[in-house]
Amino acid sequence: MSFVDYFKYVDNQYYGEELSLSEIAAKVGTPCYVYSRATIERQWRVFDSAFDSYPHRVCYSVKANSNLAVLDVLTRLGSGFDIVSAGELHRVMRAGGDAGKIVFSGVGKSDTELCHALKAGVGCLNIESESELHRIQAVAQELRVKAPISIRVNPDVDANTHPYIATGLRDSKFGLGARDAERVFVLAAAMPNIEIKGIACHIGSQLTETRPFIDSLEKLIDFIGQLARVGIGLSHIDIGGGLGIIYHNESPPTPDQYANALINVLKRRKCNLPIIIQPGRAIVGNAGVLLTRVEYLKMSSDRNFAVVDAGMNDLLRPALYQGFHEILPVRLSGSSTRHAYDIVGPVCESADYLGKGRVLDIGEGDLLVVRSVGAYGFSMSSEYNSRLRLAEVMIDRDKYYVIRKRQTVDQSMENESLLPR
Ligand SMILES: *Cc1c(COP(=O)(O)O)cnc(C)c1O
């Protein structure tokens, strides 16, 4: 099954499921993020059923989109979660998630975070350095518990993606090289408060080929054989996330093709360890749009700009990764006064753009949608330029819910104070 989302034109008006986005803009205001519940559910189920023939767990990667309602939708489907901070842990718990199905990744877990995670009973801590192993042993001893751990190895595979989101090369800060990993596994096996669960990797994000996933899985299986020879047995393989989505003209493998490629390797290598996958982007990426209004059109002989009310603080991907997002008018006018525009925000930075050279028939006051922003959209947003954090809306068929209210001026300053007089 391929990628599908439930945003489309109906009678020249752009809809999310059964609601027109003009209506949402009229009621909630702009800019705002709008998600489709049906799309999130469909994508999660497509992943889960793609692995039907093999023992597996889908652990949604929370950093892609951590809104409580998104976590709620996934919790109800029985999802596990991949987290990278105590903040994400608290969100998953608040949404009713099962701690035992949480995998905690990240290179810099603090004592406090480890303590929260062990007390909550997370399913696995993915260790990224020898120092972290010692730290976890100490914290677990203090709490008189056994810490379930995996070691994240760095398979040295080129994910062929943007350098900022490639994490599996030898010189990356993530994971341990094979030689160090074996030594750390041996150390871990001898520690009283450590229980070895598995091996993990995550080689990058927005991958559009199966090859790097296959190569890393092969390397993990080689490594598992090496561990077996020194008497260390494992109970799962965590292959990470990273499957890409269609933003523009990419042709990433479908979840089915991705699952089949991995299962073929596992079966051929006679490996029967349960597999954990941690998709983030592939579940929520196409399930969200950013709804924004054109403030000003600025035409010149060199370049035309459409200045919109959303900026790089609201959606960072274009500025940070040169990420491409399709931009469409909410209402198709049928006239033919098209021009090429750079779609830019109000933030005082030249990197503040959402799209360049987009040919559109638009006027001031018109609504636009920026597509495929459900992942790494709101979750990477900031208040730069003292812009208020925008609202988030979830559409569920013909209803919508404001799942995050627009921030108020008072809220934006509530943790600050003037100096004493
Ligand atoms: C970010 C991350 C993921 C999710 O990556 P996607 O590209 O969104 O699927 C999974 N695992 C780890 C360890 C991550 O850091």
Side-chain angles (χ1 to χ4, degrees), residues 181-411:
E182 180 172 341
R183 187 172 46 77
V184 176
F185 263 113
V186 170
L187 276 174
M191 289 185 174
N193 296 82
I194 296 288
E195 182 189 357
I196 295 177
K197 286 281 195 190
I199 185 167
C201 76
H202 170 71
I203 54 173
S205 200
Q206 185 52 18
L207 272 65
T208 53
E209 309 157 318
T210 45
R211 179 48 57 190
F213 293 114
I214 293 175
D215 291 349
S216 9
L217 182 57
E218 296 270 13
K219 289 197 177 178
L220 291 193
I221 297 172
D222 292 343
F223 190 70
I224 291 169
Q226 210 174 305
L227 290 176
R229 286 192 287 280
V230 295
I232 295 175
L234 303 181
S235 45
H236 72 238
I237 303 184
D238 177 345
I239 190 76
L243 183 62
I245 62 168
I246 301 174
Y247 285 107
H248 189 206
N249 48 18
E250 303 88 342
S251 45
T254 64
D256 271 332
Q257 291 167 335
Y258 164 79
N260 288 338
L262 295 180
I263 293 169
N264 284 341
V265 174
L266 291 161
K267 294 202 165 148
R268 175 166 46 74
R269 301 286 305 264
K270 302 202 170 17
C271 175
N272 48 22
L273 290 178
I275 190 167
I276 292 179
I277 52 163
Q278 306 173 333
R281 189 190 308 269
I283 288 180
V284 292
N286 286 323
V289 299
L290 173 60
L291 187 54
T292 180
R293 194 178 289 279
V294 178
E295 294 279 7
Y296 302 103
L297 293 180
K298 196 171 158 182
M299 318 295 281
S300 77
S301 51
D302 297 322
R303 228 173 171 82
N304 303 322
F305 295 97
V307 183
V308 299
D309 62 4
M312 65 185 287
N313 68 297
D314 304 306
L315 177 65
L316 187 59
R317 296 192 69 264
L320 184 62
Y321 308 124
Q322 293 81 51
F324 180 97
H325 293 273
E326 207 179 335
I327 300 178
L328 303 171
V330 167
R331 196 175 60 85
L332 292 174
S333 78
S335 84
S336 53
T337 42
R338 293 164 163 272
H339 296 284
Y341 295 96
D342 285 1
I343 314 292
V344 300
V347 173
C348 301
E349 298 281 339
S350 294
D352 180 29
Y353 75 96
L354 301 179
K356 290 196 172 155
R358 304 303 173 86
V359 180
L360 292 165
D361 173 9
I362 47 174
E364 295 184 351
D366 284 1
L367 293 167
L368 300 177
V369 284
V370 184
R371 277 180 48 85
S372 309
V373 297
Y376 308 105
F378 188 92
S379 65
M380 294 184 91
S381 70
S382 77
E383 291 166 38
Y384 184 42
N385 276 210
S386 292
R387 288 168 50 75
L388 300 174
R389 208 70 80 130
L390 37 64
E392 293 176 283
V393 174
M394 176 88 74
I395 297 180
D396 186 2
R397 294 169 177 269
D398 60 351
K399 297 207 166 44
Y400 75 89
Y401 303 93
V402 176
I403 57 172
R404 183 184 182 108
K405 292 185 210 155
R406 193 176 304 283
Q407 192 182 33
T408 63
V409 171
D410 282 340
Q411 286 168 345

